[in-house]
Amino acid sequence: MKKYVLIVAGGKGLRMGHELPKQFIPIKDKPLLMHTLNVFYQWDATAELVLVLPESHQPYWQMLCTELDFKIPHTIVTGGETRFHS
């Protein structure tokens, strides 16, 4: 049976009082979101990781992946207006 991991990362980080959305805040020189994807990849490298991001965040995420040489395979899909819609 195929496994999927759906990670909804559309937050803006307003409650954290940070300009950067919380999923992009660096922890040990990598964005939180990279650590999250890594944990699921370590759990099962065959599971398909699906990352739900707002369209406006996708270029920034792709730039981070390139700059930090992030190679964990994942699919990016565009989120909805709210978490519920995503």
Side-chain angles (χ1 to χ4, degrees):
M1 173 171 33
K2 182 78 174 151
K3 295 177 190 168
Y4 295 87
V5 175
L6 183 64
I7 301 169
V8 181
K12 296 179 182 170
L14 298 175
R15 289 179 294 183
M16 294 192 65
H18 206 279
E19 287 185 28
L20 206 58
K22 62 185 167 220
Q23 62 268 29
F24 299 131
I25 293 174
I27 298 174
K28 295 185 180 181
D29 298 326
K30 283 196 273 185
L32 175 63
L33 192 49
M34 287 184 182
H35 291 283
T36 302
L37 286 163
N38 186 51
V39 167
F40 283 108
Y41 186 74
Q42 295 297 320
W43 166 69
D44 187 340
T46 67
E48 185 169 342
L49 304 178
V50 180
L51 178 56
V52 183
L53 284 174
E55 191 170 4
S56 62
H57 292 174
Q58 292 176 22
Y60 184 68
W61 173 248
Q62 291 167 341
M63 182 268 306
L64 286 172
C65 288
T66 300
E67 279 188 6
L68 298 172
D69 198 31
F70 188 69
K71 300 289 187 191
I72 291 177
H74 61 284
T75 302
I76 300 170
V77 297
T78 302
E81 183 68 27
T82 66
R83 184 178 302 266
F84 174 79
H85 292 106
S86 293

